[in-house]
């Protein structure tokens, strides 16, 4: 068992980390940090628990430490981070001197020597770790996972990218409110309404996707070579991002082939049989009216992405379209960092 | 004053007709039809009223007649139709022998001699009326308006189509539940959820848009010559369809130009100062988080379409994208038929 | 293992039966019935599955039979019924000739020889079974459970009734839409809205509660002797009924005592360690803002009722009030029938 | 025309003040204050507008002043206050030295010399103004209106209190999220959920109601002499509080009589024909499923309270129950203060 901790443990994603780590066979959760306001309190006293499943007994008595205090030393190998961007930018590098930081924060994602990884998509980017440690003189290191909407999209594009020539991708999202944190979206803003804007989300989807599908050689990443455009919207859904995806290939699109490649898609996490890895990263639904966030977000314990309405697109012979649903705080956040850590634990530690 | 009636007066769109006609300066509502179940009852007794504004006093005592009974003769010139498709297919042609039928039903939309019209977009299609009457030997005629999501989209594409060369359009919709009729979407289907499918909606958007932007010569319509692809989704919103639109032009896209053409767009209904015509068919919003259905659906009494997030698209130099909101049961249904009737009343009767 | 079947297996409560029976240690689900429309089809083909967990593999291939066809014989001992009232009134008596019918339908609840039972509250009413079989010459029998909102209320009143003298109870409910069946509440009716009326619900709560808390002697039931008034309302919640309860006692109300009696409450199902019985039927929450339906409905696998805001009532020294949440389609429907069957299986079969 | 201003003009209730004052025949809106962050900006630039109707043109260019800066002098007679409690406690007494403050804040409501008034219920409490001015040496004065849920309840109880002997009232509320301010209720808290707690709300309903129905003699208020208990809950509704009310009289309850007294109820605002006064403060609905917040909140421009389901209560011969809906930010907040000011303008100024 590897001892682990969670940085920013009282927030929405922090709670998902705790929920997912509760019965983990390889990771033993021993440390929790939060802001100074919570420091010194038992986790149960410091936290308003938001999830449907109740707070695991095992964390209630853990005394929360202050994320920002340097002197604390943690008896852990891995620290999961669900810190706000600004805090992450400051403290993650400090922690990386001694610990492995598996981060869901966006602060370090675009650093040239910090791997941005989805284990099924670009596990080879972990090669950057050695460079990172050398560059920065750290004993630990930082590994990051992408933005929630990017992860779901990129997982479904991966078998297409590997087997066909993608020319363009248009994606229009309908994202759950949990993606903005507990207080991120007011009820006044979303009842009988939707918000056609999520700050920086489109930019993240447009840049991260191309990097994730790119290649790495001698520590240098070459982005994938196609065009992508995103339009991001917030809807009245608790968990589960839905995305309408339009793909133009360079060549003729054969729906049968595409479907086969998507449903058969497996990668390293499946080969290594990592604990959180879904048996099939992509689940294809044939019903007209699926996927739906409430019915499909929990597929494969929230780690699978469900694809439906896969169909030819009238716009050209080379085009097709589909709809996907992925759980934004599991596959798209806490579960993504944990899968990264499982991969590191199995292949590097 | 022209006497008018409403076919299918008890349903959701029927009620919008009644609401909009209540204080109309040119139309005097005298006749209401519904299914045999309601026939013979006072309208107030036959109807569960769904709208926020209460039922107009003037219609409460009108005795509802049976849509399907042939012998009734109506003292009206114009019959507005919000009939279900199957019923419309049967009765609209019968009524057209003697009356002008301004229909929101889809049954007759694709008939070659039946004009499918948005007054701001293709009023010249009314030339088909003469042909229709000749072909069919009718004294009256049928004029139709498009599907709700098509109307909002096409209104915003019109000034672009007229001033630039459109190559491709992708549109992803987030549509209100009222579009499916009162019982069309169960609460179980939409709370904490969305439905990524609306039967025939994508096909309608893809075909109707090209026809509406087409041209007519000697009674023959030539479709507009670009490609369009739609993905349609239902979200937890009462009224107001939101659409994310991606446009590729043949040439460089200049956002300033496009914005000017959209916000300055006016057409025949504005020139004729038709009662229901919005002063500006397209309202541009500059705020990042607009348009929103609850805040923008009622613009210009529900007859304006609000456009926001108009921006360059990273996907190519020739591309831009935007989000629109239009009221689906006003601009997209009852108000559309009424505006058609106002145009006919002013230019033909 | 006892073979069991579900009557009305394709509806909302039917699906809950299937979900709860899937891994049941004592019951083996072998038969499923539905309307003639579904008869002859595989269950998977006959059913649109509404629950978040996916359809159990074990039922997909079961061929659905027609509920209304008499000649079918089922290789089961127990038939769970989630039939509509009218169908239940006709077919449950037929099935009771040969099978045990554990019914969630209201049709037979108020028959004098049919036990209406919550195992924790009035298991002794099962004495009626012998009388029922004698009266009607049946080899099987019918046992029923109460209405969903009644079950949650009565469970919380039971320890109060047993230990104090209740004078009056006022209850105002905020009920989930699933209680009305999949198509029972339109999305148009509930988004940004609530419906202050549920047909017959108040009458059921007012009559069933007094019967359940009553006593039985020589096969005759005497109702509990206090007054109860209900006001029932539908709100935009998928699952989980919330009820605000005001209780007047004959004597001084001591909150500490009441809380102890509620949280310590156990009964026969707990003693017998029935599979579906919650360890504690009533869970007390101390947080100001609990219970909440989304967070508390799944307590004890949906079989516990969560009570919060237990407080003195300013209205008199003898008064107190609280709020409860119970899962309406588990504890309040399918789970209730299954717990009845477990009790019968352990004590009678 | 009387010049008026709004204190706290950028918030939810502040916006309602502006909307309602826009076309007011007697009040001319000239001054707007907000926090220092907004001070110095044009109102349009300082404000994110939340209401469905768009921001009135007339206020866009008004330069916002800082509520907390003493030196500003306003060319107004009346200042409407929608300040947060803590700010109101500090600044309202300062403003009252020179201006009439018609306040929706709760800070000064329970001061012995500050009238808490609903014009239809207890306009005679305005007698306190003279005492207040004398006590405090002010040229202006403060008049307050009650809490939103109290106003709707008390309006419906007034004709009952005046004509029958009320013994007890139980009320269970289902309140709209706008009552908590724009950011008061997170979307995570209310989608597929409800919150069974609103801080201090029950206490306000229980104390304010008895005061409002009380009497005043020589400047001393005697509370009404019955018992009242409230349980308050937040539901997924934008605007419009719904309340389930149970009333016990000392004597037999005759529903016909009660209904007549309610529907005929008129008071001083109706006699004086005040601009914002509804023709009938109480509207009775006979339909089973009314009142509903979305359909009934705007009755009489949001100033009427709609009562439905008025029925005998089985709990005793002296009991009855009903459901009410009132608009919480119009009748329950901004409209209440404006009606108070209209009454003062007509009777005192």
């Amino acid at each position: 068992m590897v001892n682990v901790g969670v940085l920013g443990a009282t927030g929405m994603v922090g709670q998902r980390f705790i929920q997912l780590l509760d019965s983990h066979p390889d990771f033993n959760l021993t440390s929790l940090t939060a802001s100074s306001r919570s420091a010194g309190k038992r986790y149960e006293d410091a936290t308003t628990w938001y999830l449907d499943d109740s707070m695991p007994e095992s964390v209630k008595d853990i005394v929360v430490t202050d994320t920002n205090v340097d002197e604390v030393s943690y008896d852990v190998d891995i620290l999961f981070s669900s810190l706000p961007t600004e805090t992450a930018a400051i403290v993650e590098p400090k922690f990386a001197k001694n610990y492995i930081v598996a981060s869901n924060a966006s602060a370090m994602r675009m650093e040239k020597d910090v791997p941005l990884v989805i284990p099924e998509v670009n596990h080879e980017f972990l090669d950057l770790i050695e460079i990172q440690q050398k560059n920065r003189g750290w004993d630990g290191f930082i590994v990051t996972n992408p933005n929630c909407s990017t992860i779901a999209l990129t997982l479904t594009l991966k078998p297409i990218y590997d087997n066909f020539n993608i020319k363009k991708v248009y994606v229009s999202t309908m994202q759950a409110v949990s993606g903005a944190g507990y207080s991120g979206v007011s009820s006044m803003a979303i009842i009988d309404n939707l918000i056609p804007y999520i700050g920086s989300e489109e930019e993240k989807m447009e840049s991260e996707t191309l990097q994730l599908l790119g290649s790495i050689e001698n520590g240098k990443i070459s982005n994938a070579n196609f065009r992508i455009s995103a339009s991001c919207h917030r809807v009245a859904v608790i968990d589960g991002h839905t995305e309408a995806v339009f793909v133009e290939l360079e060549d003729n699109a054969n729906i049968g082939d595409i479907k086969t490649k998507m449903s058969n898609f497996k990668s390293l996490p499946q080969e290594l049989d990592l604990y959180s890895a879904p048996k099939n990263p992509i689940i294809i639904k044939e019903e007209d009216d699926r996927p739906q966030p409430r019915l499909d977000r929990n597929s494969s314990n929230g780690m699978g992405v469900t694809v439906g309405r896969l169909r030819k697109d009238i716009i050209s012979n080379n085009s097709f379209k589909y709809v996907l649903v992925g759980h934004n705080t599991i596959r798209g956040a806490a579960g993504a960092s944990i899968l990264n850590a499982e991969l590191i634990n199995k292949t590097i530690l």
Side-chain angles (χ1 to χ4, degrees), chain A:
Chain A
M1 293 285 277
V2 175
N3 282 353
V4 303
V6 174
L7 307 172
T10 56
M12 179 89 61
V13 173
Q15 298 188 14
R16 279 284 179 211
F17 271 119
I18 285 169
Q19 183 189 49
L20 295 173
L21 291 168
D22 182 39
S23 56
H24 201 283
D26 306 320
F27 296 148
N28 178 36
L29 181 57
T30 60
S31 303
L32 300 172
T33 83
S35 69
S36 57
R37 205 163 18 108
S38 301
K41 294 185 189 166
R42 294 169 60 246
Y43 183 72
E44 185 178 21
D45 299 331
T47 308
T48 303
W49 188 255
Y50 306 129
L51 303 181
D52 301 13
D53 294 340
S54 47
M55 184 187 289
E57 287 301 321
S58 60
V59 298
K60 289 186 176 173
D61 289 326
I62 296 181
V63 175
V64 176
T65 50
D66 185 338
T67 308
N68 289 290
V69 170
D70 290 348
E71 302 82 61
V72 186
S73 95
Y74 298 92
D75 178 24
V76 302
D77 287 316
I78 302 173
L79 287 168
F80 293 103
S81 166
S82 53
L83 295 169
T85 312
E86 310 72 37
T87 311
I90 297 167
V91 307
E92 290 187 357
K94 290 187 196 170
F95 284 116
K97 290 180 191 162
N98 302 299
Y99 309 99
I100 298 168
V101 178
S103 176
N104 182 57
S106 65
M108 305 292 290
R109 272 181 209 161
M110 288 292 151
E111 296 286 306
K112 286 221 166 89
D113 57 357
V114 174
L116 176 70
V117 174
I118 302 172
E120 284 94 342
V121 174
N122 66 333
H123 45 81
E124 65 276 13
F125 282 31
L126 292 182
D127 292 355
L128 287 175
I129 291 172
E130 213 183 310
I131 298 169
Q132 183 191 141
Q133 290 185 313
K134 201 172 296 174
N135 280 352
R136 306 192 185 227
W138 291 346
D139 291 331
F141 57 84
I142 300 174
V143 62
T144 65
N145 53 267
N147 173 275
C148 48
S149 48
T150 305
I151 293 178
L153 175 65
T154 307
L155 265 173
T156 64
L157 289 179
K158 174 66 175 171
I160 301 166
Y161 185 78
D162 283 350
N163 292 285
F164 309 92
N165 293 306
I166 297 178
K167 188 175 172 189
K168 280 187 200 166
V169 173
Y170 286 97
V171 57
S172 175
T173 70
M174 291 161 279
Q175 300 185 220
V177 295
S178 62
Y182 188 76
S183 302
V185 179
S186 161
S187 57
M188 290 291 299
I190 212 76
I191 294 175
D192 183 19
N193 206 16
L194 61 86
I195 306 293
Y197 178 69
I198 303 175
S200 302
E201 192 82 357
E202 295 168 1
E203 293 80 355
K204 285 179 196 166
M205 291 191 79
E206 289 167 354
S207 62
E208 292 178 7
T209 303
L210 296 180
Q211 181 175 331
L212 288 157
L213 291 172
S215 56
I216 184 165
E217 206 169 342
N218 298 326
K220 277 196 67 176
I221 293 166
S222 308
N223 278 3
N225 188 23
F226 62 87
R227 299 300 191 114
I228 176 167
S229 168
S231 191
C232 294
H233 319 92
R234 190 79 70 190
V235 295
V237 168
I238 289 283
D239 287 316
H241 287 354
T242 305
E243 307 181 17
V245 187
F246 306 82
V247 182
E248 292 181 25
L249 301 180
E250 295 287 354
D251 316 300
N252 221 307
N254 179 304
I255 294 297
D257 276 7
I258 293 163
K259 190 177 293 184
T260 305
K261 298 299 186 195
M262 285 181 126
S263 59
N264 290 347
F265 173 58
K266 298 199 181 194
S267 183
L268 188 57
Q270 285 70 37
E271 286 163 35
L272 296 175
D273 201 20
L274 299 180
Y275 176 68
S276 302
K279 228 178 86 181
N280 294 289
I282 302 171
I283 300 119
I284 304 274
K285 286 272 176 188
E286 300 290 344
E287 299 93 324
D288 263 352
D289 62 352
R290 299 291 279 269
Q292 295 175 21
R294 203 178 74 239
L295 299 187
D296 293 308
R297 61 193 170 201
N298 290 322
S299 286
S300 307
N301 298 314
M303 290 297 286
V305 175
T306 304
V307 166
R309 307 207 65 220
L310 184 57
R311 60 210 191 279
K312 283 283 287 184
D313 192 344
I314 194 179
I315 210 156
S316 88
N317 284 329
N318 300 353
S319 298
F320 64 99
K321 45 189 173 182
Y322 60 94
V323 179
L324 70 83
V325 163
H327 197 301
N328 56 305
T329 65
I330 299 180
R331 183 76 217 202
S337 295
I338 291 174
L339 192 62
N340 277 350
E342 291 172 0
L343 179 62
I344 289 164
N345 187 37
K346 198 87 158 217
T347 61
I348 299 185
L349 290 194

